[in-house]
């Protein structure tokens, strides 16, 4: 009976270890899922959604920040 308990515990621990994500894998997943923002052609700000009238283009958040755009005060309260 003791051997069966030990075998069950060993298999359970192995399954938990296999199903637990490694920190490096989690970082890669979150780093690749960058936020998309909306930018007007003449604007100085980026938006979470289409905020007001005008034409908006989708852009990665990092590119919008690289261009010197700032967050919209209405969208990012």
């Amino acid at each position: 009976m003791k051997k069966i308990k030990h075998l069950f515990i060993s298999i359970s621990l192995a399954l938990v270890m296999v199903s637990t994500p490694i920190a490096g894998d989690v970082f890669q997943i979150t780093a690749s899922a960058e936020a998309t923002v909306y930018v007007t052609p003449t604007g100085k700000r980026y938006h979470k959604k289409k905020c007001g009238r005008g034409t908006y283009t989708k852009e990665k958040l990092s590119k919008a920040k690289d261009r010197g755009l700032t967050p919209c005060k209405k969208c990012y309260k």
Side-chain angles (χ1 to χ4, degrees), residues 6-49:
H6 286 282
L7 180 64
F8 179 74
I9 291 172
S10 298
I11 291 173
S12 299
L13 287 174
L15 289 173
V16 168
M17 289 172 51
V18 168
S19 65
T20 304
I22 299 172
D25 293 339
V26 173
F27 177 72
Q28 288 176 346
I29 292 169
T30 56
S32 64
E34 186 179 353
T36 300
V37 295
Y38 294 91
V39 179
T40 56
T42 58
K44 297 177 184 174
R45 294 180 173 74
Y46 56 87
H47 306 268
K48 284 184 184 179
K49 59 183 183 205

Side-chain angles (χ1 to χ4, degrees), residues 55-71:
T55 54
Y56 293 85
T57 55
K58 288 184 180 180
E59 193 171 294
K60 298 287 182 188
L61 179 59
S62 61
K63 288 188 179 187
K65 286 183 176 181
D66 289 345
R67 290 178 41 195
L69 303 177
T70 58

